[in-house]
Amino acid sequence: LSHRATHSGLYAHGSYQPLTLQTPNFLAFERAHGDERLIVVVPIRTMDNGEWRDTVITLPEGNYHDVLSDRSAPTGAAT
């Protein structure tokens, strides 16, 4: 919720674009407003034994920052 508070324009006025993934196990979408982008990827079913651990999600080129882990990934290398 703190991200939503500090980026209110992205949530209030941003576009919504579903993202196509190569796996049926996740739901993903992008919000965009001006030069801000937010990509959300969530599992849509419970998976046991780490069966999704090696899942790779290819994202559009860009600089990414994981707001949950506070990690950054170089351009085009976020998975």
Side-chain angles (χ1 to χ4, degrees):
L1 291 175
S2 65
H3 189 271
R4 187 179 184 105
T6 58
H7 301 273
S8 60
L10 180 63
Y11 292 91
H13 307 291
S15 63
Y16 169 86
Q17 178 67 42
L19 297 176
T20 303
L21 302 178
Q22 300 300 316
T23 175
N25 300 323
F26 295 89
L27 168 77
F29 65 89
E30 177 187 44
R31 282 193 166 276
H33 180 66
D35 62 350
E36 288 188 295
R37 303 260 183 278
L38 174 71
I39 293 178
V40 176
V41 180
V42 295
I44 57 173
R45 69 179 186 99
T46 303
M47 292 176 265
D48 295 326
N49 301 321
E51 63 186 286
W52 54 270
R53 183 177 311 147
D54 295 327
T55 299
V56 174
I57 299 170
T58 303
L59 301 175
E61 275 197 40
N63 294 312
Y64 293 93
H65 183 82
D66 184 334
V67 297
L68 298 178
S69 70
D70 199 29
R71 295 183 316 175
S72 292
T75 302
T79 57

